[in-house]
Amino acid sequence: SDNGFTYDPINGMLICYWREGLSNSALDTSIFYRATRNGIEWTDAKLLIAADVTSDQLSPSILFNPIDGLWHMWIGQESGYWRHYTAKNLNNNWTLKSTTPFLEKSIWHSEVKFVGDKYVMLINKRDPNSNFYFSVSADGDNWESGNYLFEIQQEALYKASFLPKFNSAGQLAFDIFYTTNHATNPDWLRKYFHLTTNYAGI
């Protein structure tokens, strides 16, 4: 579950990572990855971070920061708490930098990307009143969250990804891609959605 992609600029490799566990609990849930140069030939699966009885290893996001030369990973300890780790290599040797509570949003999934010189996190707030929020951080540890994205409640919002885009005036918007889960409304059950936010000056 909770798969994602990141890029290794040092070795020119696309990295695909995922969460794997037999019991879906902290007892045996680890994160693994495979890498490719061409999208066809992949390395064998390697351990990224081992199971930790204090963490559910939820929804990892992984980025390489060329400024500090470190890999950064944000991963869910449990719903509402997110951990930030750093490492020199993708070799299961991570250092915990901080644990951030998002209790008011009961964060379930997230994704972190670089936008300019800031880390931007798209947060999925869990039911009830599920919604998406953006948070921004300069250091990956201290986050400032904005308002919810949807004025009209949608049921069972699940996992999302996003891409920044700019117009000719230099304004920023985001393309957001998201799914729904366990919804009772057939219009939302197991569906895939795309939307574009309004442009804003930065």
Side-chain angles (χ1 to χ4, degrees):
S1 62
D2 294 357
N3 60 295
F5 286 94
T6 191
Y7 182 65
D8 179 354
I10 303 300
N11 298 298
M13 304 287 277
L14 179 67
I15 308 294
C16 178
Y17 54 86
W18 66 92
R19 178 176 180 261
E20 183 175 311
L22 295 176
S23 65
N24 197 32
S25 76
L27 297 177
D28 66 358
T29 300
S30 301
I31 306 296
F32 295 87
Y33 75 95
R34 298 175 73 176
T36 182
R37 293 185 188 278
N38 57 18
I40 300 172
E41 298 170 309
W42 293 80
T43 64
D44 292 335
K46 298 179 181 179
L47 180 65
L48 183 70
I49 187 168
D52 180 344
V53 295
T54 69
S55 175
D56 292 326
Q57 313 283 50
L58 296 172
S59 191
S61 284
I62 303 167
L63 294 173
F64 181 79
N65 186 334
I67 297 174
D68 60 21
L70 296 175
W71 287 93
H72 292 253
M73 176 169 61
W74 295 264
I75 195 168
Q77 171 185 332
E78 59 183 275
S79 185
Y81 290 90
W82 239 239
R83 291 180 172 180
H84 177 205
Y85 296 87
T86 58
K88 292 184 178 180
N89 300 289
L90 299 178
N91 60 3
N92 188 35
N93 188 21
W94 296 87
T95 299
L96 177 62
K97 286 198 66 187
S98 65
T99 299
T100 304
F102 292 90
L103 294 176
E104 75 283 2
K105 295 180 174 62
S106 187
I107 182 174
W108 190 10
H109 295 98
S110 76
E111 183 162 296
V112 182
K113 294 181 182 288
F114 280 125
V115 180
D117 62 350
K118 297 293 190 297
Y119 298 108
V120 176
M121 178 188 293
L122 180 58
I123 292 173
N124 164 217
K125 178 189 180 298
R126 193 164 190 167
D127 296 324
N129 302 317
S130 61
N131 218 309
F132 292 115
Y133 295 77
F134 277 113
S135 284
V136 179
S137 174
D139 58 10
D141 299 310
N142 300 285
W143 296 87
E144 182 176 350
S145 298
N147 294 325
Y148 52 77
L149 294 185
F150 296 132
E151 292 287 349
I152 300 175
Q153 168 65 28
Q154 291 199 51
E155 185 181 5
L157 296 176
Y158 195 56
K159 189 165 172 34
S161 183
F162 67 100
L163 291 172
K165 60 190 302 183
F166 293 88
N167 62 15
S168 59
Q171 295 174 310
L172 172 68
F174 291 109
D175 277 319
I176 301 176
F177 311 88
Y178 66 95
T179 56
T180 53
N181 181 44
H182 67 261
T184 56
N185 185 327
D187 291 334
W188 298 333
L189 178 60
R190 300 293 187 183
K191 297 294 180 65
Y192 176 77
F193 295 83
H194 165 245
L195 63 85
T196 302
T197 66
N198 296 328
Y199 282 95
I202 57 172

